[in-house]
Amino acid sequence: MNLSRIAIFASGSGSNAENIINYSLSNRDSGLEVAMIVCNRPDAGVIDRARRLGVPVKVMTRAEINDPDVMLATLSDARVDAIALAGFLLMIPDFLLERYPGRIINIHPSLLPKYGGKGMYGRHIHRAVVEAGDTETGITIHHVSSEYDGGSIIFQAAIPVAPGSTPDSVETAIHALERAHYPRILADTLKSDLSNSYILFRYDKQK
Ligand code: GAR
């Protein structure tokens, strides 16, 4: 079996990180093993979640993350061979893109290219979707490139925005979609079953 040892980079609550860890633990044949969490915020919820699940967490400053000597040594000490971003809000430095070509994957809570780019993350996106009166939203799983939210798309899933939706209700629906798809798409992409494919799922109803 082709095993990927991943570092999950996260800045927030960590529900996606937790889903990926649980998926890897209960699907041993997925080829996914979570080696560590890298977090840039000492107060982030992801830290407690990871500790509870027994996954090592490294809290690093932006300067450390952007320092090739520190960052590459941290990842190689943990024998990391791929990176999953899960609500990580800093730009990925070029030296990481060079060190892990095609092996850094992100999830974004909109149907890119809509609502992508700097400042577009989490709740800000769901508020913009509701304010714009959009009838559809979704998630995008994509390769990370040097352009913000600009790497090639691996997978999208779309759901309708129900009339009367609020940013909170959209966020809940998006988290359910993320939970349903991110861990498996991540695992399959890293096994390279999906490296050149593009998949779009369109739901008629919110999950
Ligand atoms: C998730 O919805 C993720 O897609 C989004 O942040 C949330 C993090 O939640 N990521 C971005 O907006 C990246 N631009 P979590 O901390 O509970 O996983």
Side-chain angles (χ1 to χ4, degrees):
M1 185 181 52
N2 211 346
L3 191 66
S4 296
R5 273 180 65 82
I6 65 166
I8 301 176
F9 283 31
S11 309
S13 139
S15 68
N16 279 283
E18 180 162 356
N19 293 337
I20 295 167
I21 294 166
N22 283 334
Y23 177 88
S24 71
L25 294 174
S26 51
N27 295 275
R28 296 287 186 182
D29 59 351
S30 66
L32 210 57
E33 190 172 287
V34 181
M36 69 184 306
I37 304 281
V38 171
C39 178
N40 64 306
R41 288 194 27 207
D43 58 344
V46 68
I47 296 171
D48 277 349
R49 290 194 201 242
R51 291 202 172 125
R52 193 166 22 84
L53 291 161
V55 174
V57 186
K58 179 105 179 166
V59 178
M60 300 176 77
T61 63
R62 181 197 292 252
E64 287 170 332
I65 289 168
N66 286 326
D67 180 330
D69 290 338
V70 176
M71 188 76 246
L72 292 174
T74 300
L75 296 175
S76 82
D77 285 353
R79 293 179 293 114
V80 163
D81 59 28
I83 297 170
L85 309 188
F88 185 66
L89 299 180
L90 300 180
M91 209 47 202
I92 293 298
D94 284 345
F95 68 82
L96 280 183
L97 297 174
E98 279 153 29
R99 171 68 182 78
Y100 294 96
R103 296 186 65 79
I104 308 183
I105 292 165
N106 183 41
I107 187 156
H108 187 81
S110 77
L111 296 170
L112 288 173
K114 274 194 116 176
Y115 304 113
K118 210 166 165 42
M120 275 296 166
Y121 58 89
R123 185 69 63 85
H124 298 283
I125 295 172
H126 310 316
R127 192 173 305 120
V129 164
V130 170
E131 281 172 5
D134 289 359
T135 54
E136 185 177 69
T137 188
I139 59 168
T140 302
I141 298 169
H142 64 95
H143 288 286
V144 174
S145 71
S146 52
E147 200 187 321
Y148 224 92
D149 297 327
S152 64
I153 294 177
I154 302 159
F155 175 92
Q156 293 187 305
I159 46 168
V161 179
S165 289
T166 61
D168 275 354
S169 67
V170 173
E171 184 174 52
T172 301
I174 288 293
H175 273 137
L177 215 51
E178 293 182 330
R179 186 167 54 246
H181 295 290
Y182 193 26
R184 187 180 48 83
I185 295 291
L186 178 65
D188 288 355
T189 303
L190 294 175
K191 271 199 277 190
S192 65
D193 294 355
L194 287 178
S195 53
N196 292 313
S197 25
Y198 168 70
I199 302 166
L200 170 64
F201 249 69
R202 189 166 259 123
Y203 292 93
D204 293 335
K205 291 202 187 89
Q206 287 190 2
K207 280 178 68 70

